[in-house]
């Protein structure tokens, strides 16, 4: 008989920033493969990550290149969570490009491997990205989430985000429609 295991027995995720995770070409190549696997599996399972069909590896490489370029320019943060030397999740924010919105950034993706969900990885990634945004001088960090994503809505509220708007039935997945829910974390009000 196998002994029962608890969530306490699961190793804590190792969080790396973009520079740490891409310091060598081999690491960057593995990142692309792992990120593609996670994102494709999640979208295939119905996750709300902006794709209707799983993204191709080339799409994920293009996304990572765009985010890494923005990180180098000081306009983004990318965080990666590893458990047992395996990518378990990733997330990033990007500063708004419009000149009048430059003090602000949008948290665009938080993705946790389905096998690692419920272990606090999404919370750890989001918390690190919030800290990165604060350190970068971001005034308001925004995000949007599909209205049926109850877990994400709870997570963001628990981390201090407040809802500031909703577009009913805005997100189209085939014939299904979902609300697009907007949240913000205003660092100016936190002192």
């Amino acid at each position: 008989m196998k002994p029962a295991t608890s969530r306490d027995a699961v190793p804590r995720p190792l969080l790396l920033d973009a520079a740490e995770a891409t310091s060598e070409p081999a690491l960057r190549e593995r990142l692309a493969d792992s990120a593609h696997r996670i994102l494709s599996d999640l979208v295939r399972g119905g996750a709300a990550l902006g794709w209707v069909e799983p993204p191709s590896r080339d799409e994920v490489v293009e996304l990572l290149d765009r985010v890494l370029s923005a990180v180098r320019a000081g306009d983004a943060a990318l965080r990666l969570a590893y458990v047992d030397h395996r990518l378990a999740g990733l997330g990033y924010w990007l500063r708004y490009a419009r000149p009048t919105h430059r003090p602000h950034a949008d948290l665009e993706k938080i993705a946790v491997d389905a096998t690692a969900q419920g272990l606090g990885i999404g919370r750890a990634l989001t918390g690190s990205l919030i800290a990165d945004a604060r350190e970068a001088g971001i005034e308001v960090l925004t995000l949007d989430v599909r209205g049926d994503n109850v877990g994400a809505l709870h997570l963001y509220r628990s981390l201090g985000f407040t809802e500031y708007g909703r577009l009913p039935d805005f997100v189209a997945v085939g014939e299904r429609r979902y609300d697009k829910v907007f949240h913000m974390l205003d660092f100016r009000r936190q002192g």
Side-chain angles (χ1 to χ4, degrees), residues 21-82:
T22 59
S23 59
E24 299 173 22
L27 289 175
R28 189 167 176 176
E29 192 65 25
R30 282 199 311 264
L31 170 60
D33 291 338
S34 298
H36 175 248
R37 177 187 51 78
I38 290 170
L39 294 169
S40 295
D41 288 350
L42 289 171
V43 171
R44 198 174 292 108
L49 291 169
W51 291 284
V52 174
E53 296 296 325
S56 69
R57 185 181 186 287
D58 287 344
E59 286 176 288
V60 173
V61 167
E62 183 179 315
L63 171 69
L64 289 171
D65 285 346
R66 182 172 55 90
V67 172
L68 290 168
S69 177
V71 167
R72 286 189 293 276
D75 291 333
L78 170 68
R79 286 289 175 163
L80 306 155
Y82 287 85

